[in-house]
Amino acid sequence: MWTLIFIIGMIWVFGKLFIVGIKAAWSISKFIVTVILLPLVLIGLAIKGMMILAFIALIVLGIAAMCDTV
């Protein structure tokens, strides 16, 4: 159940960040970090058993994504 909520949250947050990245035309390095590196870090945390830390990071990134889209 937690895994399903985590996956849905990741799709929502990083889908939103993907759209923001395209609209803002960020440089390629910032785009790669946002779309590739951050999800890999969160997936790595979840695989290593640090689900609480992954959820906290996902919540913080979700709030940042919501505040960034104006």
Side-chain angles (χ1 to χ4, degrees), residues 1 6 13 19 21 32 35-37 56-57 65 70:
M1 182 66 186
F6 181 74
V13 167
I19 292 169
I32 288 173
V35 175
I36 296 173
L37 186 63
I56 292 169
V70 176

Side-chain angles (χ1 to χ4, degrees), residues 6 39-51 53-55 57:
F6 181 74
L40 288 178
V41 168
L42 287 177
I43 290 169
L45 285 172
I47 289 173
K48 292 289 184 179
M50 296 183 220
M51 191 63 94
L53 186 59
F55 269 118

Side-chain angles (χ1 to χ4, degrees), residues 6-61:
F6 181 74
I7 290 170
I8 291 170
M10 284 205 39
I11 290 170
W12 176 73
V13 167
F14 291 104
K16 200 166 212 22
L17 285 174
F18 178 78
I19 292 169
V20 169
I22 294 296
K23 285 183 180 178
W26 289 346
S27 68
I28 191 68
S29 62
K30 288 182 182 179
F31 184 75
I32 288 173
V33 167
T34 303
V35 175
I36 296 173
L37 186 63
L38 287 175
L40 288 178
V41 168
L42 287 177
I43 290 169
L45 285 172
I47 289 173
K48 292 289 184 179
M50 296 183 220
M51 191 63 94
I52 298 296
L53 186 59
F55 269 118
I56 292 169
L58 187 62
I59 290 169
V60 169
L61 289 171

